[in-house]
């Protein structure tokens, strides 16, 4: 081999070595990046559900309108199977930016997350104008269908599925525990193992609403919430505890509605309707009335207030994340 040939070969080897080291660096970087990511896999699932009026839901006498909705399942990275899961239920605004951070926090501790979308499949956007088109009771049917889907997923543990929701979704998460609603709308033999409502509205008394399934309920609520005030929840929790139910109300002093949203801000909605001191109750036949008047509730009732507030509260958010993770770690018996 002459010198030129040798030098040429040496150049080729050097280039191969350079390319190999670069490739190895990419692999190592990708591995490190994956190790930092809580989500390994994302699956999109269609769900067959139905749209019901509140009366149809409460009487279960007539079927609703059939509809296909969807949800996003985020599987956690590096966890033992079968995997525990949490169904996340959005509020009146649809899937807002607050949902994604919660999914990441739960994936981080080895929990699969199913982000349920009750609006898009129904052609509904988020906001006040759409509230009458998709009641929270219809969203509760969706949550039960999501539970059924996850219970049949080959990688999910059907005995370790919880539900967590925000505002209107918080009502879904809270009332999903009612035995009566489970009998009427949840597939037999399955149920959520735990319930995590965030700032739900508690102003309606439903028939048999003190008869709950055994799963614990942990309600997270801000004391300054003027959209879904905390006081009715305090009264409801007191009623539930007297019946021996495992329910706790975790209060965040000075926190507003949507306090777990990232950021430190206050936003006013002067034209939005709050229910203030309104108390509603279900009558036989699925009719929900204003307790003070005995008539169906209207936005013109004297108990209705105008002007609401939302606000991100970093301290309350941090405390809530810690509390939820500790609760689910214990409930699902996760390795610490």
């Amino acid at each position: 081999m002459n010198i030129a040939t040798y030098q040429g070969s040496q150049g080729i080897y050097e280039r191969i070595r350079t390319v190999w080291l670069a490739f190895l660096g990419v692999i190592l970087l990708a591995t490190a990046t994956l190790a930092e990511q809580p989500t390994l896999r994302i699956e999109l699932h269609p769900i067959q559900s139905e749209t019901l009026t509140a009366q149809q839901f409460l009487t279960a006498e007539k079927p609703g309108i059939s509809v296909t909705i969807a949800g996003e399942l985020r599987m956690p990275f590096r966890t033992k199977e079968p995997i525990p899961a949490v169904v996340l239920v959005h509020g009146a605004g649809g899937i807002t930016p607050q949902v994604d951070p919660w999914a990441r926090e739960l994936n981080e501790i080895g929990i699969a997350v199913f982000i349920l979308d009750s609006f898009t499949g129904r052609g509904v956007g988020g906001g006040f104008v759409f509230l009458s088109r998709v009641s929270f009771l219809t969203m509760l049917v969706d949550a039960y269908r999501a539970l059924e889907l996850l219970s049949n997923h080959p990688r999910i543990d059907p005995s370790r599925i919880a539900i967590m929701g925000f505002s209107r979704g918080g009502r879904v998460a809270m009332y999903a525990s009612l035995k009566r609603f489970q009998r009427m709308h949840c597939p037999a033999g399955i149920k959520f193992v735990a319930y995590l409502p965030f700032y739900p509205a508690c102003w309606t008394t439903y028939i048999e609403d003190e008869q709950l399934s055994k799963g614990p309920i942990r309600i997270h609520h801000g004391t300054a919430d003027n959209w879904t005030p905390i006081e009715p929840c305090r009264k409801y929790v007191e009623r539930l505890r007297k019946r021996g139910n495992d329910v706790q109300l975790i209060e965040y002093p000075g926190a507003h509605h949507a306090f777990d949203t990232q950021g430190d801000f206050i936003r006013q909605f002067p034209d939005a309707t709050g229910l203030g001191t309104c108390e509603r109750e279900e009558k036989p036949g699925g009719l929900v009335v204003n307790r003070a008047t005995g008539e169906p509730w209207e936005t013109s009732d004297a108990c209705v207030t105008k002007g609401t507030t939302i606000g991100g509260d970093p301290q309350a958010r941090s405390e809530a994340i810690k509390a939820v993770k500790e609760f689910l770690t214990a409930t699902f018996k996760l390795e610490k």
Side-chain angles (χ1 to χ4, degrees):
M1 180 184 294
N2 59 38
I3 294 175
T5 303
Y6 173 76
Q7 287 176 337
S9 299
Q10 188 178 38
I12 291 171
Y13 294 148
E14 186 63 30
R15 285 196 294 272
I16 292 173
R17 178 176 179 273
T18 301
V19 171
W20 172 250
L21 289 175
F23 175 72
L24 182 60
V26 169
I27 295 297
L28 291 174
L29 178 61
T31 302
T33 301
L34 281 173
E36 294 172 359
Q37 297 301 317
T39 305
L40 171 64
R41 176 181 171 84
I42 295 177
E43 302 174 358
L44 302 179
H45 291 273
I47 299 175
Q48 295 303 311
S49 190
E50 55 184 335
T51 304
L52 301 159
T53 66
Q55 193 166 21
Q56 284 176 315
F57 179 95
L58 293 170
T59 59
E61 293 178 355
K62 298 180 181 179
I65 300 171
S66 180
V67 64
T68 301
I69 59 171
E72 178 187 272
L73 177 61
R74 298 189 186 185
M75 306 297 287
F77 187 71
R78 289 182 180 170
T79 190
K80 293 181 179 180
E81 296 186 18
I83 307 168
V86 170
V87 176
L88 289 186
V89 188
H90 62 73
I95 300 176
T96 59
Q98 79 186 121
V99 176
D100 177 73
W102 271 112
R104 290 175 178 271
E105 293 287 351
L106 298 180
N107 272 171
E108 189 177 68
I109 59 173
I111 298 172
V113 176
F114 189 81
I115 302 174
L116 181 64
D117 182 0
S118 289
F119 285 178
T120 305
R122 293 185 170 94
V124 171
F128 314 120
V129 69
F130 298 105
L131 296 186
S132 62
R133 291 177 57 184
V134 183
S135 72
F136 97 89
L137 292 172
T138 280
M139 293 172 66
L140 179 48
V141 173
D142 297 344
Y144 286 145
R145 301 292 169 82
L147 171 63
E148 181 179 23
L149 183 148
L150 293 177
S151 295
N152 292 311
H153 192 288
R155 298 183 62 193
I156 300 296
D157 185 346
S159 68
R160 294 190 295 167
I161 303 174
I163 182 170
M164 177 177 174
F166 313 94
S167 191
R168 172 168 286 217
R171 296 176 74 188
V172 173
M174 182 167 65
Y175 291 112
S177 63
L178 268 63
K179 288 182 177 180
R180 174 185 165 219
F181 291 171
Q182 292 173 353
R183 288 195 303 269
M184 292 192 296
H185 298 286
C186 188
I190 60 173
K191 64 179 180 179
F192 291 108
V193 71
Y195 307 83
L196 287 158
F198 270 65
Y199 33 89
C202 303
W203 47 60
T204 305
T205 300
Y206 292 99
I207 294 171
E208 298 181 16
D209 68 356
E210 296 175 357
Q211 299 179 25
L212 310 182
S213 58
K214 291 183 179 180
I217 303 173
R218 298 295 180 265
I219 304 171
H220 296 260
H221 217 309
T223 62
D225 195 321
N226 62 357
W227 209 321
T228 55
I230 193 172
E231 187 56 34
C233 290
R234 288 170 175 156
K235 293 179 180 178
Y236 185 39
V237 167
E238 184 179 359
R239 283 199 294 122
L240 292 176
R241 290 175 69 87
K242 285 181 178 178
R243 291 291 298 268
N245 292 295
D246 183 2
V247 56
Q248 294 179 18
L249 175 60
I250 297 93
E251 301 188 10
Y252 298 90
H256 294 281
H257 199 74
F259 67 82
D260 58 320
T261 306
Q262 288 184 318
D264 187 356
F265 66 92
I266 298 292
R267 189 170 299 162
Q268 308 284 346
F269 296 89
D271 296 325
T273 299
L275 289 209
T277 60
C278 291
E279 293 186 9
R280 303 188 297 183
E281 64 178 331
E282 180 192 356
K283 296 293 186 180
L287 184 64
V288 177
V289 303
N290 183 329
R291 181 172 286 170
T293 65
E295 299 294 328
W297 174 82
E298 301 287 348
T299 55
S300 58
D301 287 357
C303 60
V304 173
T305 58
K306 280 284 188 181
T308 59
T309 306
I310 65 171
D313 187 320
Q315 180 177 343
R317 180 177 182 276
S318 177
E319 292 175 2
I321 290 172
K322 183 175 183 291
V324 167
K325 284 185 171 182
E326 289 178 350
F327 171 71
L328 290 176
T329 296
T331 300
F332 289 154
K333 296 180 173 58
L334 302 176
E335 293 182 3
K336 297 183 180 179

